[in-house]
Amino acid sequence: MNRQAIEPSLKKIILFDILLPMVLLILGIAMGFLQILYRAGVIHSRSFLGIEYYQGLTLHGAINAVVFTTFFAVAFGHAIIRYYTQKPLLLGWAWISLIAMTVGTVMAAIPMLTGKASVLYTFYPPLKAHPAFYFGLVLLVVGSWIAFFSWIPVYRAWKREHPGEKTPLALLGIFTTFIVWFIATIPVAVEIIFLLIPWSLGWTPTVNVPLARMLFWFFGHPLVYFWLLPAYVMYYTMLPKLTGGKLYSDFAGRFTFMWLIAFSAPIGIHHQYTEPAISTTWKAVHAFFTLLVAIPSLVTAFTLAASMEHGAREKGGSGLFGWWKKLPWVDTDRWMFSYLFAGLFLFIFGGITGIVNASYNLDNVVHNTAWLPAHFHQTVAGPVFLAYIGGSLLLLTTLTGREVAMKKLNVWIPYLWTFGVMVFSTGLFVGGVAGEPRRTNLGLSYMNPGSPLYQPQWKFSRLFGSIGGTIMFIAMLLFFVVFFATALRKKTREGALELPVSEPYHDEHVPALLSMRPWIVIAIVLLVIAYTAPFLELAKARYEGAPPYAPDNPIAQTK
Ligand code: HAS
């Protein structure tokens, strides 16, 4: 497909959707580095530079995993819908979406920055945040819904004009992303609107903690696939083209997207294997569904490997392993390859450890330990993060007509980041198995020689964690230099929209994968099966409601 001129207004919206979270990401990344210092035992206090430990951890998780991802998914969605339908978007709604998301982010950021919402990105009660934090989250989500709903009429019009044609894979992937997001955000909206906002406003004295947690994880697991899906869109539709070849199987891509619609959500209880309010039977059902949700990622692994092999052989690669040499590892013109490939490499380990977590009894060993951040830095900070920062740079260059600055440096950044994540995660995996807790200010306790809780045997894992984390921090500093230098340099041509598009090698015709509707129905049926009994169990359980707490005080707040 060609370079397409797009409406200046849409260009502004997409660029704002990318630049705002990129600026916030500087703070999010700095807060990650602060975590390293606390956990390595370099800082032995509750706060540093006026930022309290849990406040910094909340900013790190909320900016990197919630704000950056949601803004990017919407920006990328606008670009994909515009590019593949070649139809103008509903710009009024796109502006409303942008304004709602921006206002929501600012509303949530103020209490986080002033220490009134140190509740981490999971905002579990009984930790209580200022009401503005919850209202801000609602606006951020509603803004993303508005963008999604505004794409539906554009897609319908495209369908009418292209009767009998397959929906382009990228379009299907973006709709899958937002269907998963819409399903996921309904339970968390119920949690925030009916439980957390009235409680934080003081209208209800206590909150039902197990119910809030179940509603959160009803949202929290599909959330990770909402993060992953835009990266999968890039893998399936851009990576094969970047290697010089074709997507090995169109069927594999469609199957992956549809399967993720069906199985992303009925699995949230795998985050709650230790939850006393839920019976073993339903935990086992969620464990079973979780293993089913790994299938499309395994399919993706083989399909992408075959696609890369095809591309490399087209470029003259030969032999059983010799073709690897023909991949564009450090090709400055096809720099996006390095972002996508490095993420795939990390995902091999993120995927394997995910399957460990999913295995009900193994999870008891690693739950709430440092193992978990190791797992999610190889998933959300692996394929997702690398695809998103690479995707942001790609949209920036194409829409503004600027060349990437410092091309040679740029192409190495993902490998440096990946090396950092591997070292960091190795430390955290080892520490996790040895019982090192997550979400804990180790500098104050276990890594403080002056504390009776001191655990010198965790020094190895801390050393690896700190070295790896520092490498990640340096990689991101370099990325910011490249990104903002690109944004500030002179343009070399008129800005337009141009994306790498892969043709299919096998273009299979599978009627079951042509429409999203049956898969949405399957998703709803599975959700009813997976959640009806657990909610009834919670309704029957008699737990006392909890008053609000702050992270720095074991005594409940009285007002
Ligand atoms: Fe997870 C916890 C299970 C995938 C993110 N996960 C988390 C948390 C996060 C997260 C953020 O069952 C922590 C939440 C919190 O704060 O408490 N996860 C899984 C499983 C998968 C999985 C089974 N997770 C993800 C993805 C995430 C993510 C994706 C973000 C985007 N996870 C769990 C469980 C927990 C959990 C439990 C709770 C544990 C607890 O105790 O709290 C699967 O979907 C993974 C399937 C993936 C694969 C890998 C396929 C490999 C590919 C790469 C191929 C490479 C190629 C290159 C071709 C099977 C596609 C070749 C190159 C060469 C050099 C050879």
Side-chain angles (χ1 to χ4, degrees):
M1 282 173 90
N2 313 331
R3 218 173 138 72
Q4 291 173 28
I6 65 167
E7 303 68 24
S9 185
L10 179 62
K11 207 187 281 182
K12 279 191 201 131
I13 293 172
I14 298 178
L15 287 174
F16 191 89
D17 268 333
I18 285 169
L19 286 166
L20 173 76
M22 195 57 81
V23 172
L24 290 175
L25 198 59
I26 299 173
L27 179 63
I29 293 291
M31 292 300 111
F33 187 59
L34 203 58
Q35 281 296 306
I36 300 291
L37 300 181
Y38 278 115
R39 292 187 62 101
V42 176
I43 303 174
H44 294 303
S45 61
R46 263 177 214 289
S47 66
F48 183 68
L49 297 175
I51 300 164
E52 196 268 331
Y53 174 82
Y54 285 105
Q55 183 187 9
L57 189 51
T58 305
L59 284 164
H60 178 59
I63 293 175
N64 298 9
V66 180
V67 175
F68 175 63
T69 51
T70 310
F71 270 89
F72 178 80
V74 169
F76 188 59
H78 284 319
I80 291 287
I81 306 284
R82 178 68 183 82
Y83 194 62
Y84 280 88
T85 62
Q86 305 197 15
K87 298 181 85 50
L89 303 191
L90 306 181
L91 289 177
W93 288 110
W95 276 113
I96 295 174
S97 148
L98 175 64
I99 292 166
M101 288 172 66
T102 307
V103 173
T105 302
V106 173
M107 275 178 78
I110 292 170
M112 280 193 279
L113 290 168
T114 51
K116 296 202 168 85
S118 299
V119 291
L120 309 184
Y121 89 101
T122 41
F123 49 88
Y124 280 165
L127 288 180
K128 194 197 80 170
H130 188 278
F133 173 80
Y134 302 116
F135 281 112
L137 287 182
V138 171
L139 266 183
L140 177 70
V141 169
V142 169
S144 66
W145 283 356
I146 292 171
F148 171 43
F149 289 128
S150 76
W151 299 331
I152 295 172
V154 181
Y155 172 60
R156 286 232 170 101
W158 178 90
K159 286 275 278 182
R160 277 195 300 276
E161 289 164 19
H162 298 80
E165 246 181 66
K166 265 191 197 174
T167 300
L169 194 57
L171 274 185
L172 190 77
I174 282 301
F175 276 104
T176 304
T177 307
F178 280 83
I179 289 167
V180 167
W181 177 237
F182 188 65
I183 294 176
T185 42
I186 293 172
V188 80
V190 171
E191 181 199 359
I192 294 179
I193 294 169
F194 295 105
L195 299 181
L196 301 184
I197 289 181
W199 177 64
S200 72
L201 285 168
W203 296 346
T204 48
T206 59
V207 67
N208 183 336
V209 171
L211 177 61
R213 261 206 299 257
M214 186 135 87
L215 288 166
F216 181 84
W217 285 117
F218 193 151
F219 154 77
H221 203 81
L223 169 70
V224 313
Y225 293 106
F226 166 71
W227 293 334
L228 185 66
L229 277 159
Y232 270 13
V233 171
M234 289 184 239
Y235 283 139
Y236 276 101
T237 66
M238 297 182 184
L239 184 70
K241 174 78 178 172
L242 292 167
T243 62
K246 293 184 172 177
L247 171 62
Y248 187 72
S249 163
D250 178 77
F251 158 75
R254 285 172 203 274
F255 165 79
T256 295
F257 292 139
M258 298 301 186
W259 196 264
L260 286 175
I261 293 183
F263 283 97
S264 286
I267 56 179
I269 290 176
H270 72 218
H271 292 265
Q272 296 181 278
Y273 286 150
T274 55
E275 180 74 65
I278 304 167
S279 70
T280 316
T281 312
W282 290 100
K283 288 174 183 167
V285 170
H286 281 240
F288 175 66
F289 286 157
T290 306
L291 295 176
L292 293 184
V293 88
I295 292 173
S297 293
L298 290 166
V299 169
T300 301
F302 290 106
T303 310
L304 296 182
S307 309
M308 287 191 287
E309 179 174 352
H310 174 254
R313 288 193 189 281
E314 288 290 294
K315 294 275 172 194
S318 60
L320 190 57
F321 297 110
W323 58 268
W324 282 87
K325 285 188 277 185
K326 291 287 175 187
L327 290 174
W329 299 108
V330 285
D331 182 334
T332 50
D333 293 328
R334 289 182 281 163
W335 56 267
M336 188 67 186
F337 173 84
S338 63
Y339 282 81
L340 296 180
F341 184 87
L344 273 184
F345 176 78
L346 284 174
F347 199 31
I348 297 174
F349 306 96
I352 294 170
T353 50
I355 291 169
V356 169
N357 303 344
S359 312
Y360 192 173
N361 44 359
L362 286 184
D363 183 65
N364 283 331
V365 180
V366 297
H367 181 64
N368 274 345
T369 69
W371 173 282
L372 259 287
H375 161 67
F376 67 68
H377 280 83
Q378 290 181 336
T379 49
V380 66
V384 172
F385 190 65
L386 285 170
Y388 282 28
I389 57 171
S392 300
L393 189 58
L394 182 72
L395 288 175
L396 176 74
T397 51
T398 172
L399 288 175
T400 61
R402 288 169 168 83
E403 292 280 316
V404 175
M406 293 170 251
K407 284 185 175 180
K408 282 203 176 126
L409 171 66
N410 175 44
V411 89
W412 281 101
I413 289 171
Y415 300 125
L416 183 64
W417 172 264
T418 298
F419 179 61
V421 174
M422 285 305 289
V423 176
F424 169 84
S425 307
T426 305
L428 270 74
F429 281 134
V430 173
V433 174
E436 184 190 313
R438 67 184 287 204
R439 293 182 158 178
T440 304
N441 183 350
L442 299 184
L444 210 53
S445 50
Y446 304 114
M447 278 296 120
N448 181 359
S451 159
L453 296 169
Y454 185 49
Q455 301 284 336
Q457 73 277 18
W458 291 345
K459 263 195 175 156
F460 163 82
S461 68
R462 286 296 88 232
L463 184 69
F464 267 64
S466 317
I467 295 173
T470 308
I471 298 171
M472 290 160 71
F473 182 60
I474 294 169
M476 272 316 285
L477 291 184
L478 296 176
F479 176 78
F480 288 131
V481 170
V482 169
F483 185 88
F484 290 106
T486 305
L488 295 174
R489 74 191 315 206
K490 278 205 181 111
K491 62 179 184 179
T492 49
R493 54 177 169 172
E494 240 359 89
L497 192 53
E498 186 175 16
L499 304 172
V501 178
S502 310
E503 300 297 321
Y505 183 67
H506 293 293
D507 193 5
E508 306 90 337
H509 177 74
V510 184
L513 299 175
L514 291 181
S515 164
M516 290 173 259
R517 274 201 202 113
W519 297 90
I520 297 174
V521 173
I522 296 174
I524 294 168
V525 172
L526 289 175
L527 279 173
V528 172
I529 295 172
Y531 272 108
T532 308
F535 275 117
L536 289 175
E537 284 177 354
L538 277 194
K540 275 194 230 140
R542 289 279 165 260
Y543 291 94
E544 270 183 35
Y549 284 82
D552 58 350
N553 195 336
I555 301 186
Q557 293 175 348
T558 47
K559 54 175 184 164

